[in-house]
Amino acid sequence: MNNNFLVFSGRASRYLAEKICASLGCPLGNLNVQTFADGEFGVSFEETIRGKHVFLVQSTFPTADNLMELLLMIDAAKRASAAHIIAVIPYFGWARQDRKDKPRVAIGAKLVADLLSVAGIDRLITMDLHADQIQGFFNIPVDHLYASKVLAPYIEQEVGTENLVIASPDAGGSKRAYNYAKYFGVPMVMCSKHREKANVVDSMFLIGEVEGKDVVLCDDMVDTAGTITKAANLMMEKGARSVRAIASHCVMSGPANERVEASSLKEMIFTDSIPYRGSCAKVHILSIADMFAETIRRLMNEESISNMFII
């Protein structure tokens, strides 16, 4: 493998960067973050990166400090004469703000894309964007990975496909659920929901049959868990034998842990794109470190990554 690269991490994703480096068989780069009394912070690379391919691992989940820290890392790498700067952002924050859905609102995903581009990245590696079209906000190569690489094998092993039904908790996730259903060769059902405001589901009904089936709900992220738990409860009311849920990003804010624990879900499966700091017994975390490590390995060897995609 071409060893002309270094991997560094921001504070928020160090747990994942360490696993990526272990998979690559390389040390994690030495980066220092200094915090001042007023909360301002600065970053510095404590080893030479001149002429290197520099991979910066940092998910940009709240708070905004995580994004700012990544931007400072990019700027420092550019000023230290790195040959190429690759941002590795397993969870791309602000991705839900991908369009103007009402007057006088910001398109946060485009703003973040512009910030990263102006800061100086040459490439982006990310996973399961909330909207695929966010890739078009960048004028640089974007490697958009999918958590199905780790989630699909887990479902095959733990649930099997004989009695499986794939479900989408809302219309927006129907394409994702369809792709899983097509891959497994099983039926798909969908929930239709109505919201009065963000994070609050007023009503929901089921389109399709789940009686006697093992249902797996698919989503890209779970925030307050209102939709996913309401959908799970509805599936059990309609006669499902069991209900699990898979989601790429473990946001799990507010009452999410309590809702999942009290719901009909047998299991809630996430990846470690975001660190899970809750204590819900139903939550199970799968690591994406090997997937990202293999992507880095193939990029450095100038190999295709397309055959890594399952769904």
Side-chain angles (χ1 to χ4, degrees):
M1 178 181 173
N2 184 339
N3 63 357
N4 190 36
F5 75 97
L6 291 166
V7 179
F8 295 89
S9 174
R11 291 172 294 182
S13 295
R14 187 178 179 89
Y15 71 98
L16 180 58
E18 288 174 345
K19 289 188 282 186
I20 290 173
C21 287
S23 183
L24 286 168
C26 69
L28 181 62
N30 189 6
L31 178 80
N32 180 53
V33 181
Q34 180 183 9
T35 302
F36 302 102
D38 63 353
E40 182 181 327
F41 52 87
V43 304
S44 61
F45 293 95
E46 300 299 305
E47 57 187 287
T48 181
I49 59 174
R50 184 179 296 274
K52 299 285 188 178
H53 288 70
V54 176
F55 292 85
L56 304 176
V57 182
Q58 180 86 313
S59 285
T60 55
F61 54 90
T63 65
D65 282 1
N66 294 328
L67 173 59
M68 188 64 194
E69 187 175 293
L70 175 59
L71 293 171
L72 291 171
M73 290 162 61
I74 295 165
D75 188 69
K78 181 173 64 175
R79 297 177 188 279
S81 301
H84 297 281
I85 303 169
I86 302 96
V88 181
I89 308 178
Y91 174 74
F92 188 92
W94 286 268
R96 284 175 282 187
Q97 300 178 46
D98 62 318
R99 66 196 185 282
K100 286 188 69 174
D101 55 355
K102 61 182 180 179
R104 299 175 297 280
V105 296
I107 303 179
K110 179 64 168 71
L111 175 60
V112 172
D114 289 344
L115 289 168
L116 292 167
S117 299
V118 171
I121 64 170
D122 299 296
R123 190 180 201 100
L124 170 67
I125 305 174
T126 189
M127 184 184 79
D128 280 338
L129 292 167
H130 187 66
D132 288 351
Q133 62 266 25
I134 292 172
Q135 296 172 75
F137 293 172
F138 292 88
N139 291 318
I140 57 171
V142 176
D143 296 308
H144 187 204
L145 308 181
Y146 296 92
S148 54
K149 180 75 173 176
V150 297
L151 295 173
Y154 183 84
I155 292 301
E156 286 182 299
Q157 178 181 335
E158 296 298 318
V159 185
T161 59
E162 185 176 344
N163 200 46
L164 180 65
V165 168
I166 298 295
S168 174
D170 54 31
S174 59
K175 180 181 178 182
R176 182 181 303 103
Y178 171 78
N179 288 336
Y180 273 99
K182 183 179 179 181
Y183 172 77
F184 289 125
V186 300
M188 170 195 153
V189 301
M190 185 177 73
C191 294
S192 179
K193 67 182 180 183
H194 174 70
R195 290 187 191 270
E196 286 294 335
K197 58 182 179 178
N199 297 128
V200 178
V201 179
D202 290 323
S203 61
M204 179 180 286
F205 62 90
L206 177 65
I207 303 171
E209 295 293 331
V210 297
E211 187 172 356
K213 298 293 185 179
D214 295 311
V215 179
V216 174
L217 286 153
C218 303
D219 215 340
D220 64 322
M221 68 175 72
V222 173
D223 189 352
T224 60
T227 297
I228 206 83
T229 54
K230 195 174 184 71
N233 294 339
L234 179 60
M235 299 293 172
M236 292 301 291
E237 290 171 10
K238 297 297 183 180
R241 187 169 74 173
S242 69
V243 184
R244 290 175 173 84
I246 56 175
S248 307
H249 306 299
C250 181
V251 180
M252 294 291 280
S253 55
N257 287 291
E258 292 77 11
R259 285 176 173 173
V260 170
E261 192 67 57
S263 74
S264 300
L265 282 169
K266 184 174 183 178
E267 194 175 19
M268 179 74 247
I269 305 119
F270 292 109
T271 76
D272 56 354
S273 64
I274 298 175
Y276 177 59
R277 299 188 176 97
S279 58
C280 179
K282 294 183 178 181
V283 170
H284 183 76
I285 305 294
L286 303 177
S287 182
I288 52 174
D290 288 343
M291 179 175 71
F292 275 84
E294 180 63 18
T295 301
I296 292 172
R297 184 180 292 113
R298 293 189 182 201
L299 287 176
M300 291 307 302
N301 289 335
E302 298 184 353
E303 297 174 359
S304 171
I305 65 170
S306 59
N307 61 358
M308 292 177 60
F309 303 146
I310 293 180
I311 299 172

